[in-house]
Amino acid sequence: MNLNESKDSVPSEKPPENSAPKTWTAKQLLRKVLLVIGDLRLAIILLLAIAFFSISGTVIEQGESLQFYQANYPENPALFGFLTWKVVKTVGLDHVYKTWWFLSILILFGSSLTACTFTHQFPALKAAQTWKFYEKPRQYEKLALSTQLSGGHLNELEQVLQNRRYRVFREGNKIYARKGIIGKIGPIIVHASMLIILAGAIWGTLTGIMAQQLIPSGDSFSINNIIDAGPLAQLNVFKDWSVKVNRFWIEYQEDGKIDQFYSDLSVLDNQQQEVDRQTIYVNKPLRYRGVTLYQTDWGIAGIKVRLNNSPVLQLPMGELKTGSKTRVWGTWIPTKTDLSDGVSVIAIDLQGTVLLYGNDGKLISTVRTGSAIEVNGITLTIVDLVGSTGLQIKSDPGIPIVYTGFGLLMLGVMMSYVSHSQIWALQKDGKCYIGGRTNRALVTFEREVLQILEQLNQPPSEGSSLETSSVGI
């Protein structure tokens, strides 16, 4: 329709009401899905969900027995009015990191990062790698920084920009220069590193193995008390080798409080030959063939005694349930061959002091290791207490992947702080138009542009000093 036609002109025909709806091509549909999945708001929601459930997995004890949750999360009164043991078990809050829904959130978050990378980061990098000359003076007014100089300065400007490590493109009377393209690569590496971390976490969940052992000093053991294993776990990592606890001991502070736990461990091959030996303590584990042994617990396994002149006897000690926070171990030592009489021995630590009680429940005496006492007509010597070390054994093939991801994440973050700066110049009608913009550190970039102008030995012409615009920032 001609623009000069009157309002009474016949309007253009409308499409028929029964026209077919718009159809989407596979490429258009895929792009639409990627835009939805790669939306920043969705990524933030998923990240907050991951953080929330990770916190819940830290606050709520993981992998405990049903009786534990029934005792700590009763139905009446419910914690926070809704958190009961039934909710914990039904939702899977007792093993958050292995639930299908938590893994699904991780996968969806990874998909969102991937989609964002392809729909936003790669196009931004591609745009930063291309260049476009500005051929009209009015285009410079839209840049974050712009000015104009009298005379010709393109040759000098090109040299100055090259000295400042700009990559310069020139076509006749036009210049485009850029530097800091690495700042556009940084976000892509950040996204890739987060995907690697997620992949490592998921792989560790599917293939990880956790075991626990409580072993007395002097004993050897093969790792077989597995308490948790992923569906793709390979149990053969524990084959053909075992561990011997050469010694377990505790260092105490002057006030009697525990200072540190130590375990002297030897790794033995299938011929019982030592292939590695280390002393571990809290935060200093032993690593062998991708398996890590942590010092996590302790106990009193037994007591060594002598009755009169008998050989040294080792009797087992068991932990007693007293209902208090103080851990107590005890055993019973017969003082007659027909087992009709004896004494009870109580110990609370490995400092070497034990309590002796008679059959009537009355305290007989307090005895230190290495000392003897007359009991029921015999000489009872307390030779030593035998400690036991509690080890947590973990195999997690996902850890190297996670560490690699964190390393790349730090690298990507540092790269992202590099500013991507661009400068344009145009020589026209006896004037040199110069402008530029950057994606961050605008003040620093402004100082650099001023220094470039000073190097051209030509101050801005009157009324055309360096101007800062909000456009393009």
Side-chain angles (χ1 to χ4, degrees):
M1 183 174 67
N2 193 302
L3 293 177
N4 294 323
E5 291 184 73
S6 66
K7 296 181 181 179
D8 296 331
S9 300
V10 179
S12 59
E13 293 185 0
K14 295 182 179 179
E17 294 183 359
N18 58 350
S19 60
K22 181 180 178 180
T23 58
W24 295 82
T25 65
K27 186 176 181 180
Q28 290 174 326
L29 184 60
L30 176 61
R31 181 167 180 78
K32 187 70 174 177
V33 172
L34 288 177
L35 288 174
V36 173
I37 297 178
D39 189 270
L40 178 61
R41 292 167 295 184
L42 175 62
I44 292 175
I45 292 173
L46 293 174
L47 190 59
L48 291 175
I50 292 172
F52 174 79
F53 289 115
S54 297
I55 292 172
S56 70
T58 303
V59 174
I60 299 176
E61 298 82 351
Q62 302 290 288
E64 298 291 345
S65 64
L66 176 61
Q67 292 76 17
F68 174 87
Y69 294 108
Q70 289 176 334
N72 290 274
Y73 301 92
E75 294 184 80
N76 190 18
L79 187 62
F80 304 126
F82 72 95
L83 189 59
T84 67
W85 67 270
K86 288 184 178 180
V87 174
V88 170
K89 298 297 290 184
T90 302
V91 179
L93 297 179
D94 59 329
H95 57 285
V96 169
Y97 309 111
K98 295 181 181 295
T99 58
W100 66 267
W101 49 264
F102 186 77
L103 294 177
S104 299
I105 294 175
L106 293 182
I107 294 172
L108 185 56
F109 180 63
S111 302
S112 180
L113 285 178
T114 304
C116 180
T117 301
F118 281 96
T119 58
H120 294 84
Q121 301 301 336
F122 278 126
L125 176 61
K126 185 177 180 180
Q129 289 178 309
T130 59
W131 66 90
K132 181 181 179 181
F133 297 104
Y134 286 174
E135 302 178 353
K136 299 178 180 179
R138 60 183 175 83
Q139 291 178 296
Y140 288 79
E141 298 175 1
K142 299 180 180 181
L143 295 174
L145 299 173
S146 63
T147 188
Q148 63 184 47
L149 308 176
S150 59
H153 299 278
L154 285 192
N155 293 333
E156 298 173 64
L157 178 61
E158 182 178 5
Q159 186 61 48
V160 170
L161 291 174
Q162 289 176 349
N163 292 341
R164 288 180 173 270
R165 297 184 179 180
Y166 277 84
R167 186 175 181 184
V168 181
F169 304 88
R170 182 169 181 178
E171 184 180 279
N173 64 337
K174 301 180 290 292
I175 282 180
Y176 169 74
R178 70 160 187 255
K179 72 174 180 179
I181 195 70
I182 193 173
K184 293 292 185 179
I185 301 175
I188 297 176
I189 294 181
V190 169
H191 283 201
S193 63
M194 294 179 71
L195 290 173
I196 292 173
I197 293 172
L198 290 174
I202 294 173
W203 184 245
T205 299
L206 297 176
T207 61
I209 305 172
M210 183 179 292
Q212 288 182 344
Q213 305 277 170
L214 188 63
I215 308 299
S217 292
D219 284 10
S220 301
F221 68 96
S222 296
I223 301 171
N224 49 32
N225 185 30
I226 296 174
I227 61 174
D228 192 16
L232 303 181
Q234 300 293 324
L235 301 183
N236 56 8
V237 295
F238 300 133
K239 281 187 176 182
D240 303 326
W241 60 283
S242 59
V243 180
K244 180 179 180 180
V245 180
N246 301 305
R247 183 189 171 208
F248 169 75
W249 72 98
I250 301 176
E251 286 190 357
Y252 293 89
Q253 300 175 0
E254 293 182 359
D255 58 1
K257 295 181 179 179
I258 294 175
D259 182 49
Q260 187 59 278
F261 306 93
Y262 295 92
S263 293
D264 180 9
L265 305 179
S266 292
V267 178
L268 310 176
D269 60 17
N270 53 8
Q271 303 297 323
Q272 297 301 299
Q273 299 297 313
E274 185 178 84
V275 295
D276 192 10
R277 182 169 182 171
Q278 296 182 32
T279 297
I280 70 171
Y281 48 87
V282 176
N283 296 327
K284 197 276 182 181
L286 182 150
R287 293 181 172 88
Y288 181 75
R289 287 188 181 181
V291 178
T292 306
L293 289 81
Y294 299 91
Q295 177 73 61
T296 58
D297 199 4
W298 69 283
I300 300 177
I303 184 171
K304 294 181 179 180
V305 299
R306 180 184 291 113
L307 303 176
N308 290 331
N309 295 321
S310 71
V312 175
L313 306 174
Q314 181 170 322
L315 301 176
M317 297 189 75
E319 187 170 358
L320 307 178
K321 303 298 182 182
T322 62
S324 65
K325 294 182 179 180
T326 303
R327 301 177 70 182
V328 176
W329 288 265
T331 190
W332 187 74
I333 302 176
T335 55
K336 290 186 178 180
T337 56
D338 60 359
L339 306 181
S340 61
D341 203 359
V343 293
S344 298
V345 181
I346 301 296
I348 60 173
D349 53 39
L350 292 174
Q351 296 192 79
T353 300
V354 299
L355 305 176
L356 301 183
Y357 289 86
N359 288 338
D360 56 2
K362 293 182 179 181
L363 178 64
I364 297 176
S365 180
T366 301
V367 184
R368 291 193 58 82
T369 54
S371 302
I373 187 175
E374 293 290 330
V375 179
N376 298 336
I378 66 168
T379 301
L380 173 64
T381 304
I382 306 298
V383 179
D384 198 9
L385 289 171
V386 180
S388 58
T389 179
L391 302 176
Q392 184 179 89
I393 300 100
K394 188 175 183 181
S395 172
D396 190 346
I399 288 180
I401 302 175
V402 172
Y403 283 173
T404 301
F406 273 113
L408 286 175
L409 179 62
M410 291 186 287
L411 176 63
V413 169
M414 290 187 292
M415 292 171 61
S416 298
Y417 276 100
V418 177
S419 299
H420 178 241
S421 302
Q422 300 168 285
I423 291 179
W424 287 265
L426 172 66
Q427 186 74 44
K428 190 173 182 179
D429 300 330
K431 294 183 179 181
C432 182
Y433 299 91
I434 300 175
R437 66 185 175 199
T438 185
N439 62 339
R440 55 175 53 88
L442 180 59
V443 174
T444 302
F445 179 64
E446 183 177 353
R447 291 173 182 168
E448 183 179 35
V449 173
L450 288 172
Q451 292 170 0
I452 291 173
L453 295 177
E454 291 175 358
Q455 287 184 266
L456 297 179
N457 296 319
Q458 174 68 48
S461 61
E462 185 177 352
S464 61
S465 59
L466 188 64
E467 296 179 351
T468 302
S469 170
S470 61
V471 179
I473 300 178

